[in-house]
Amino acid sequence: MQLIQTVVVKQILTENSKQQLFDQYHARKQQLQKECDQLQFELKRLEKTKTFPPTTLKKHFEKEIQMRKEKIKLLEFQMEQLHILPLGSELKEKEVQALVEVKVGDRWKDDAATIVIKDGIIEDIR
């Protein structure tokens, strides 16, 4: 019988991976800032058309802008934490699904498998 098991993928922090993560966070932060600017522009444009009630329109756009600003704050926090982390730390990158073959008489392991990656290369499977 085959089962689907969740496997945790962890990344060992190196200079290279640290820089890549920082670049990803920075690019995402810039994208969110552009989205905020675009939403503010759209709000002003739609306010001039007067086809929507101004209070509803403003409330909706401000909610969207606020969501993006919260994501920006989270990214800034992650960037700070990344700066503090020492090289060699293991970061949980993601979870993937794997097929596992089980038979009668096999030992049951309740703990999730883990794959450890260093600079894009599998270092260890636990």
Side-chain angles (χ1 to χ4, degrees):
M1 169 187 240
Q2 290 187 333
L3 299 174
I4 297 175
Q5 181 183 25
T6 301
V7 177
V8 176
V9 178
K10 292 185 176 182
Q11 175 175 253
I12 295 176
L13 197 62
T14 63
E15 249 340 294
N16 189 25
S17 62
K18 194 173 190 176
Q19 186 60 46
Q20 285 177 342
L21 278 171
F22 184 82
D23 292 344
Q24 287 173 3
Y25 292 156
H26 186 69
R28 181 71 182 129
K29 180 181 169 189
Q30 285 182 320
Q31 178 63 35
L32 287 167
Q33 188 59 50
K34 284 180 186 177
E35 289 175 16
C36 285
D37 295 342
Q38 183 65 33
L39 284 167
Q40 287 182 351
F41 175 78
E42 285 295 317
L43 173 62
K44 294 212 186 304
R45 189 180 67 79
L46 289 172
E47 281 178 336
K48 290 179 183 176
T49 63
K50 298 186 193 249
T51 55
F52 300 100
T55 55
T56 309
L57 188 68
K58 190 169 181 114
K59 191 180 219 180
H60 175 72
F61 273 86
E62 284 180 353
K63 180 182 170 192
E64 289 295 322
I65 291 169
Q66 189 59 39
M67 283 178 20
R68 283 162 177 79
K69 286 186 177 183
E70 286 175 16
K71 288 179 182 178
I72 289 171
K73 285 181 185 176
L74 177 62
L75 283 168
E76 288 171 345
F77 176 74
Q78 288 175 322
M79 289 165 76
E80 288 173 16
Q81 294 301 306
L82 182 63
H83 182 67
I84 294 169
L85 278 175
L87 297 179
S89 300
E90 288 186 7
L91 300 174
K92 179 180 174 184
E93 189 172 300
K94 60 183 169 184
E95 290 183 354
V96 295
Q97 302 295 316
L99 284 175
V100 178
E101 183 74 33
V102 292
K103 300 181 294 261
V104 175
D106 283 353
R107 220 171 257 293
W108 180 256
K109 292 186 282 184
D110 216 10
D111 57 335
T114 304
I115 297 173
V116 181
I117 297 174
K118 184 175 182 180
D119 289 331
I121 299 170
I122 296 175
E123 266 301 288
D124 190 16
I125 299 174
R126 302 179 192 149

